[in-house]
Amino acid sequence: MLGLAQKNSPFPIFFCKFRRNRPKFSCLLDHANVIAAAAAAGKAHGAVTSAITHVAVTAVAIASGACLSTKVQKAIAFAKRAHHGQFRKTGDPYLTHCIHTGRILAMLIPSSGKRAVDTVVAGILHDVVDDACESLGSIEEEFGDEVAKLVAGVSRLTGPWIQCCIMDGSDSGTGWRANDLRVMLLGMVDDPRVVLIKLADRLHNMRTIYALPPAKARAVAQETLLIWCSLASRLGLWALKAELEDLCFAVLQPQIFRKMRADLASMWSPRNRVGYSRRITTIVSSPPLDERTASDDESFTTFDEHVLSMKDLLEAVVPFDILSDRRKRTKFLHDLAKSSEAQKKAKVVQDAGIALTSLVACEEALEKELLISTSYIPGMEVTLSSRLKSLYSIFSKMRRKDVGIHKVYDARALRVVVGDKNGTLHGPAIQCCYSLLDIVHRLWIPIDGEFDDYIVNPKPSGYQSLHTAVQGPDGSALEVQIRTQKMHEYAEHGLAAHWLYKETGNKLQSISSMDESDIEASSSLSKDTDDHNPLDTDLFQKYSSLKMGHPVIRVEGSNLLAAVIIRVEKGGRELLVAVSFGLAASEVVADRRPSFQIKCWEAYARLYKKASDEWWCQPGHGDWCTCLEKYTLCRDGMYHKQDQFGRLLPTFIQITHLTEEEESEYWAVVSAVFEGKPVDSVVSRRSSDSVAPTSMEASINNKVRLLRTMLRWEEQLRSEASLRQSKLGGKANGNPDSVVPGEVVIVCWPNGEIMRLRSGSTAADAAMKVGLEGKLVLVNGQLVLPNTELKDGDIVEVRV
């Protein structure tokens, strides 16, 4: 953030500085491209060796710390010796794969800390045991026990048995394979960095899969889509998942991939750009994919006329790190433009460049608007980033919703992150988010029904952000997401990253309170916006169930005020709301601790009681700090304020969605306030929950969360395998015991140890297993009978 204070001015004038955070040692590994260039120029061993040496020497100069540079340089040198003389099927030295794997990991993990460095080192060394003659003992001697364990863990994840254990429908050997899958899953829970390394390894293999025979490439892509993409999704690694999906999509559905890339390029072409969308009179968009004909665009010639190589299709998949790094993105587009001028790039690659260029134009337009705006709070640092939705996700959404490609409003997106000084200014930062939302809606025309407020109403996972879809500079849909830095860190760092952040100064919010049924909701940039039609019957039925006294948030620009519903009219289409102008709601939204929430409920209840006692019943009734206002449900799916002349204003309210527990507590507080009783009884029920968990408790909670996630992933894979067998006419789980291990996996509290018991084991069996037979047992925090049967993922505590 740049701040320039004017003389004789009480307020400084601030300008946004849009930063890109880049891991400190990711640049160290960028020079793997030197090796690739040397290999491409010729296979001469001298040239390759020289390039490798250049990497090692340059690494020392670039690395930011002595310890860091020494360890990474040492790993590169070790891998160089181990893979000496080995080449990949692409013709590149094998070392290029090792360094690219390390680069990918450097983009996924925190930029400091021993665990992060060890992860990158293990990524560089991940193949020295399986594909070279090195032993785990030599790795442990050179790099320590932790790196050796990571390399060993990755080695266990390698081999065809992973796919067979969930795809083989035969009874032969399935029992031990299923058991091996369970062992693999539990190993991931103990140290999720093993999964990160394997995913980085698989991503680079997919980027170079064109070197494999077509049949084998399709088999690998199918396995990647089935197993590794779903695992990345479960772990919240959204950017990596999106690139993996598109690489698989390009291999498995090349014609559809090419057509969709051309269709998006046509929608987002610079020739459609007419300046700011407020001046757009005609919305330019392409027909749906299934409605396009060859005459619509020259790109829709028959596929046989311009046979594209697999390498061209893979090159049309934009690497995930290019979207997060402006310098890389600029270089990528510059190189693409030079290649296009020389007619060296296939049209599908140029179409990818058009898509990326459209994002740049949108980002620059918003950046310009923010630079000249003073609407956001001074001192708040604003960061802009962008993403392209994976073509596979777009294709899946089109099939699921039965719509054309022009109806997928989140195919491209901008993200605006507001700094909150490590959470100390979280309340003001939330106000800034709504101010930025107002700026976006003034810059570009909002699309009706495509606004979601996950700040006031977080997703069950805890994810918070403002989502809005607008008509971008070219007239096509553009999604904009706005959140605070605290919300961003919570959303972006998947479950595996919590183990890496424990030793850094960046503390991530505990995920123990996240709902078990909503894993994928913790990311915004690589998922679908909720599918909904704001004007359908279901929505009216939903709002018709609103009660008088229900809490809402009034939003006017950056001002958030507490309000309650006084009357519901016309089946929920119109609401009469009492607004308290002395009760700011930004802190209410920012602080969701149970103890603070009870105080908020009490404030809402007293506002409702005041309006009822005064018999206020019409718009305009009230006093100096309270006023009744009328709100109408509009086409955009939001309740907008209606003035005395019947005009609808930009001011709107957000209905606060309450869980069953919150609703019960809220109405208990309302009842206590109306009866003149203290709310101490309600507070006492939540007093134990208001105590923040210790770091050890948070770590165990995160481990439980990851365990349950992995077990659900295992169940998903087995279910899909069974479904495939049914479709093929085979026997789906003819012997269930051979497919699903006859055991349950539990977590022992408070040490976090994972325990495996036979299926049907009870609480008494768990107590006996730990040598405390006959003691009281708590399962998931509740005291249970000794004969209570345990389930996978249960937290068991035996009271001494």
Side-chain angles (χ1 to χ4, degrees):
M1 179 64 66
L2 301 179
L4 301 178
Q6 287 184 329
K7 292 183 178 180
N8 303 322
S9 174
F11 300 104
I13 298 177
F14 286 85
F15 300 91
C16 293
K17 180 183 178 182
F18 301 93
R19 302 191 309 180
R20 295 295 183 276
N21 296 324
R22 193 163 181 243
K24 294 178 182 177
F25 43 73
S26 65
C27 56
L28 181 151
L29 301 165
D30 281 341
H31 293 265
N33 297 328
V34 178
I35 300 176
K43 303 285 192 304
H45 180 71
V48 173
T49 303
S50 175
I52 293 174
T53 305
H54 176 74
V55 172
V57 172
T58 307
V60 182
I62 297 176
S64 58
C67 176
L68 175 63
S69 64
T70 301
K71 197 160 191 177
V72 175
Q73 179 195 7
K74 186 177 179 181
I76 294 174
F78 190 95
K80 171 188 170 184
R81 293 193 303 271
H83 295 294
H84 178 73
Q86 295 181 350
F87 290 85
R88 290 170 59 81
K89 292 186 182 296
T90 58
D92 297 332
Y94 202 93
L95 183 59
T96 60
H97 172 65
C98 303
I99 297 180
H100 275 291
T101 301
R103 286 183 63 230
I104 293 169
L105 285 166
M107 297 302 300
L108 291 174
I109 61 179
S111 59
S112 61
K114 180 179 180 299
R115 292 171 67 85
V117 175
D118 284 346
T119 305
V120 174
V121 169
I124 295 172
L125 303 175
H126 74 278
D127 273 339
V128 297
V129 173
D130 294 331
D131 297 330
C133 300
E134 297 295 338
S135 65
L136 290 174
S138 62
I139 296 176
E140 182 177 358
E141 182 179 348
E142 292 284 338
F143 301 97
D145 178 62
E146 190 168 347
V147 173
K149 286 181 179 178
L150 289 173
V151 174
V154 176
S155 181
R156 286 194 295 270
L157 293 180
T158 305
W161 69 269
I162 296 177
Q163 184 176 7
C164 292
C165 70
I166 57 101
M167 298 184 70
D168 187 2
S170 64
D171 294 334
S172 159
T174 309
W176 70 263
R177 283 172 177 162
N179 183 66
D180 280 350
L181 177 61
R182 177 59 66 92
V183 171
M184 178 189 76
L185 296 180
L186 298 183
M188 292 179 183
V189 173
D190 280 332
D191 197 336
R193 293 177 296 168
V194 171
V195 192
L196 291 179
I197 297 171
K198 184 60 184 177
L199 287 171
D201 168 50
R202 179 52 62 101
L203 177 57
H204 185 250
N205 283 335
M206 285 300 303
R207 288 175 176 175
T208 57
I209 200 173
Y210 59 84
L212 296 181
K216 186 173 183 180
R218 286 192 293 271
V220 173
Q222 186 67 47
E223 175 193 316
T224 302
L225 191 62
L226 173 70
I227 299 176
W228 302 110
C229 287
S230 65
L231 178 57
S233 175
R234 290 280 179 180
L235 294 176
L237 303 171
W238 311 109
L240 182 144
K241 165 187 171 283
E243 185 182 348
L244 270 181
E245 284 180 341
D246 267 359
L247 292 169
C248 296
F249 192 41
V251 174
L252 299 173
Q253 298 285 353
Q255 297 188 35
I256 298 177
F257 179 92
R258 172 180 174 270
K259 287 185 177 182
M260 289 182 65
R261 185 60 85 196
D263 204 39
L264 289 173
S266 177
M267 288 170 56
W268 300 337
S269 173
R271 66 175 179 266
N272 296 336
R273 195 165 297 120
V274 293
Y276 290 132
S277 292
R278 283 296 179 188
R279 297 191 290 271
I280 290 180
T281 56
T282 304
I283 302 303
V284 182
S285 60
S286 298
L289 184 64
D290 51 2
E291 296 177 7
R292 292 291 296 268
T293 63
S295 61
D296 289 330
D297 193 281
E298 63 180 3
S299 65
F300 277 80
T301 54
T302 59
F303 187 75
D304 294 334
E305 290 182 38
H306 301 285
V307 180
L308 298 175
S309 70
M310 187 185 298
K311 186 175 182 180
D312 291 329
L313 293 170
L314 296 176
E315 194 175 348
V317 177
V318 181
F320 77 92
D321 54 312
I322 285 180
L323 292 171
S324 61
D325 191 314
R326 177 173 288 188
R327 183 185 61 83
K328 286 185 177 181
R329 187 178 64 188
T330 301
K331 183 178 183 302
F332 178 86
L333 291 174
H334 177 72
D335 293 344
L336 183 60
K338 289 175 59 178
S339 301
S340 299
E341 290 174 1
Q343 297 183 341
K344 294 180 180 178
K345 293 294 183 183
K347 185 179 185 302
V348 67
V349 180
Q350 297 179 35
D351 289 340
I354 292 175
L356 192 57
T357 301
S358 78
L359 263 186
V360 173
C362 296
E363 189 172 322
E364 288 177 348
L366 182 55
E367 182 175 355
K368 180 180 178 181
E369 187 70 13
L370 295 180
L371 283 170
I372 63 176
S373 173
T374 57
S375 297
Y376 58 91
I377 298 176
M380 297 296 175
E381 189 172 75
V382 177
T383 305
L384 270 183
S385 61
S386 53
R387 75 100 170 94
L388 293 171
K389 189 180 184 70
S390 73
L391 293 186
Y392 179 78
S393 293
I394 296 174
F395 178 69
S396 300
K397 189 170 186 177
M398 290 167 61
R399 294 181 62 182
R400 185 175 70 252
K401 298 183 67 178
D402 192 23
V403 297
I405 199 169
H406 68 296
K407 289 290 186 181
V408 181
Y409 297 128
D410 61 342
R412 56 181 180 171
L414 298 181
R415 175 192 293 149
V416 186
V417 178
V418 182
D420 55 15
K421 294 189 177 179
N422 296 324
T424 58
L425 293 178
H426 196 50
I430 288 177
Q431 288 182 289
C432 185
C433 288
Y434 286 92
S435 178
L436 292 173
L437 175 69
D438 186 56
I439 292 174
V440 170
H441 283 174
R442 284 190 280 111
L443 175 63
W444 292 311
I445 300 174
I447 297 175
D448 286 346
E450 295 300 320
F451 171 69
D452 292 294
D453 189 338
Y454 298 123
I455 292 182
V456 171
N457 296 305
K459 291 198 172 186
S461 65
Y463 169 78
Q464 290 183 282
S465 184
L466 296 176
H467 289 199
T468 184
V470 297
Q471 295 168 2
D474 48 21
S476 297
L478 168 71
E479 185 180 67
V480 181
Q481 301 168 357
I482 308 170
R483 62 178 71 145
T484 68
Q485 183 64 35
K486 183 178 179 181
M487 298 172 187
H488 173 66
E489 290 175 354
Y490 184 89
E492 280 305 290
H493 302 295
L495 292 173
H498 284 264
W499 272 254
L500 294 166
Y501 270 82
K502 287 191 299 183
E503 65 175 5
T504 68
N506 304 321
K507 294 183 178 180
L508 289 183
Q509 183 178 350
S510 171
I511 53 177
S512 58
S513 62
M514 293 168 66
D515 188 274
E516 297 297 329
S517 64
D518 194 357
I519 302 298
E520 299 190 3
S522 60
S523 167
S524 55
L525 279 189
S526 56
K527 340 175 294 305
D528 297 343
T529 303
D530 287 354
D531 303 335
H532 65 280
N533 180 352
L535 298 179
D536 60 14
T537 305
D538 292 340
L539 189 65
F540 282 130
Q541 291 177 348
K542 171 185 174 182
Y543 286 138
S544 64
S545 64
L546 289 172
K547 302 176 182 178
M548 294 186 297
H550 191 92
V552 298
I553 302 291
R554 179 186 185 271
V555 181
E556 183 176 16
S558 62
N559 296 318
L560 277 65
L561 298 174
V564 292
I565 297 174
I566 300 301
R567 189 167 64 240
V568 180
E569 300 174 344
K570 296 183 180 180
R573 290 171 173 82
E574 294 182 355
L575 301 175
L576 186 63
V577 172
V579 180
S580 173
F581 293 96
L583 190 58
S586 59
E587 295 298 335
V588 174
V589 176
D591 193 341
R592 294 181 177 274
R593 292 173 301 171
S595 58
F596 188 79
Q597 202 169 46
I598 293 295
K599 296 179 181 179
C600 298
W601 294 159
E602 184 177 2
Y604 280 116
R606 296 197 182 282
L607 175 60
Y608 180 37
K609 185 176 185 300
K610 178 180 179 180
S612 301
D613 291 346
E614 297 292 340
W615 290 90
W616 294 333
C617 58
Q618 294 297 327
H621 286 185
D623 56 22
W624 66 276
C625 66
T626 308
C627 183
L628 267 59
E629 298 177 341
K630 185 176 182 180
Y631 288 82
T632 301
L633 185 61
C634 301
R635 290 185 57 84
D636 60 3
M638 295 164 24
Y639 282 100
H640 283 276
K641 181 180 176 180
Q642 183 176 328
D643 66 11
Q644 64 268 35
F645 303 108
R647 297 174 301 189
L648 295 175
L649 306 178
T651 302
F652 64 94
I653 59 170
Q654 278 295 323
I655 307 297
T656 303
H657 300 158
L658 305 177
T659 64
E660 291 185 5
E661 181 183 5
E662 289 174 338
E663 187 168 8
S664 174
E665 290 175 350
Y666 174 70
W667 290 112
V669 171
V670 171
S671 176
V673 169
F674 269 72
E675 295 175 7
K677 298 178 180 179
V679 295
D680 295 343
S681 58
V682 180
V683 176
S684 62
R685 294 203 299 265
R686 295 287 297 270
S687 59
S688 59
D689 297 333
S690 62
V691 179
T694 65
S695 58
M696 178 176 292
E697 290 172 341
S699 176
I700 296 175
N701 286 334
N702 292 340
K703 187 173 184 177
V704 172
R705 168 71 169 172
L706 182 59
L707 172 62
R708 293 176 178 177
T709 296
M710 301 305 291
L711 292 174
R712 281 195 300 273
W713 178 63
E714 177 191 34
E715 183 181 355
Q716 173 191 342
L717 294 183
R718 297 192 190 285
S719 176
E720 291 174 354
S722 177
L723 182 61
R724 281 193 303 275
Q725 286 300 116
S726 300
K727 288 182 177 180
L728 293 175
K731 189 164 68 172
N733 295 346
N735 183 2
D737 292 335
S738 68
V739 176
V740 180
E743 67 174 19
V744 292
V745 180
I746 64 173
V747 178
C748 297
W749 186 272
N751 56 15
E753 178 185 356
I754 293 178
M755 182 184 297
R756 303 171 68 182
L757 300 171
R758 67 181 184 279
S759 293
S761 293
T762 64
D765 295 327
M768 185 182 301
K769 181 84 172 181
V770 297
L772 296 174
E773 184 177 2
K775 300 296 183 179
L776 295 177
V777 179
L778 283 76
V779 177
N780 300 324
Q782 301 294 324
L783 187 64
V784 298
L785 296 174
N787 62 350
T788 300
E789 189 171 329
L790 301 176
K791 303 185 296 297
D792 274 333
D794 279 344
I795 306 174
V796 177
E797 177 185 3
V798 182
R799 288 286 175 87
V800 180

